[in-house]
Amino acid sequence: MNFFKTRGFIYVVAILIAVGAFYAGDSMRNESAQINPVDLKQLQAGSISKTVGTPLVGGAFELTDHNGKEVTEKDYLGNHLLIYFGYTYCPDVCPTSLQVMIDALEAMGPDAEKVIPMFITIDPERDTPEVLKEYVSQFDSRLIGLTGSKEAIKSVAKAYRVYRAKVEDEGAEGKDMDYLMDHTSITYLMGPDSKFKKHFAHGYEPTKMAERIKSLL
Ligand code: NI
């Protein structure tokens, strides 16, 4: 009797430890999926696309363009895409990156026709198609703005390993719509098959970006 009691106790403890380990592992995986510090470092070091055969950056999406049209990645097949994730309320980083993108296209000459510049918002609450339309028109008529449901944006941001987080604006107490977003500032070059080709870190020189893109077309 005493023996069974003891063995039973050991079984229960073993099962509890196994279940605990499973959940701990699961929550750690979830956390890393949201923050991706390792992925981001690998991406910035350029090792992700080289070490793995299957594309780990990019994928299918269902979004709405700045004209209110529902689009997917299939609508752009056959074109290279230059994609930047950001938000229209961004005070400086996003406008700078988008201008670099447009300047790079200008520097490419006729080859720029093979590339579609794209701005995907990470702030769908404020960036409606109307807001995006006004915003992208300030940069270039070729620039496409994409937004979508919270879920759709979450999904595409995850697919592109984009980190984003709401930051409270201290000067804007009580105003729900007044906030900043902390986010990854990387420009992605996707191939005509919508697969990842190259990324450009923030601060890339437009003429150098143009050369690199031309060499990869
Ligand atoms: Ni920004």
Side-chain angles (χ1 to χ4, degrees):
M1 192 65 195
N2 218 5
F3 170 76
F4 281 109
K5 258 187 181 174
T6 308
R7 202 167 66 168
F9 179 69
I10 289 167
Y11 279 149
V12 168
V13 169
I15 288 165
L16 284 175
I17 288 170
V19 168
F22 175 80
Y23 277 105
D26 198 43
S27 73
M28 272 155 68
R29 274 194 296 279
N30 283 342
E31 212 167 292
S32 65
Q34 281 162 13
I35 300 169
N36 281 328
V38 177
D39 289 348
L40 188 60
K41 270 185 195 149
Q42 284 181 334
L43 184 61
Q44 279 164 347
S47 62
I48 278 187
S49 60
K50 286 171 196 160
T51 51
V52 188
T54 51
L56 286 174
V57 176
F61 60 74
E62 284 182 40
L63 298 168
T64 307
D65 76 6
H66 64 263
N67 290 313
K69 190 183 161 222
E70 305 288 321
V71 294
T72 74
E73 78 291 348
K74 293 189 181 76
D75 289 292
Y76 306 102
L77 284 175
N79 301 281
H80 281 76
L81 299 179
L82 208 47
I83 306 179
Y84 186 79
F85 288 82
Y87 68 115
T88 67
Y89 287 72
C90 184
D92 47 25
V93 176
C94 292
T96 307
S97 300
L98 289 173
Q99 196 55 54
V100 166
M101 197 190 238
I102 299 305
D103 290 348
L105 287 183
E106 290 298 332
M108 283 175 65
D111 277 340
E113 283 172 29
K114 297 172 188 164
V115 183
I116 297 175
M118 197 173 266
F119 176 68
I120 303 180
T121 184
I122 50 152
D123 183 18
E125 283 177 78
R126 293 184 295 188
D127 288 342
T128 60
E130 295 74 26
V131 170
L132 280 178
K133 186 170 187 163
E134 166 66 23
Y135 188 72
V136 296
S137 72
Q138 292 168 23
F139 293 92
D140 194 277
S141 58
R142 286 168 292 186
L143 184 60
I144 291 175
L146 295 182
T147 185
S149 67
K150 277 189 192 177
E151 276 308 308
I153 293 298
K154 188 180 172 183
S155 158
V156 72
K158 193 177 173 191
Y160 281 81
R161 318 268 158 165
V162 171
Y163 163 78
R164 66 197 178 112
K166 234 183 218 188
V167 182
E168 294 303 324
D169 189 351
E170 285 176 14
E173 210 176 309
K175 282 192 238 164
D176 286 349
M177 295 298 269
D178 243 344
Y179 53 84
L180 297 173
M181 301 284 291
D182 191 11
H183 66 93
T184 309
S185 184
I186 289 175
T187 302
Y188 299 88
L189 177 66
M190 309 300 286
D193 52 0
S194 85
K195 291 199 173 122
F196 175 81
K197 271 201 166 175
K198 178 168 174 56
H199 76 278
F200 299 96
H202 184 71
Y204 219 87
E205 263 260 50
T207 47
K208 279 187 188 159
M209 189 186 274
E211 278 167 31
R212 290 296 283 133
I213 295 170
K214 280 177 91 164
S215 74
L216 291 165
L217 291 178

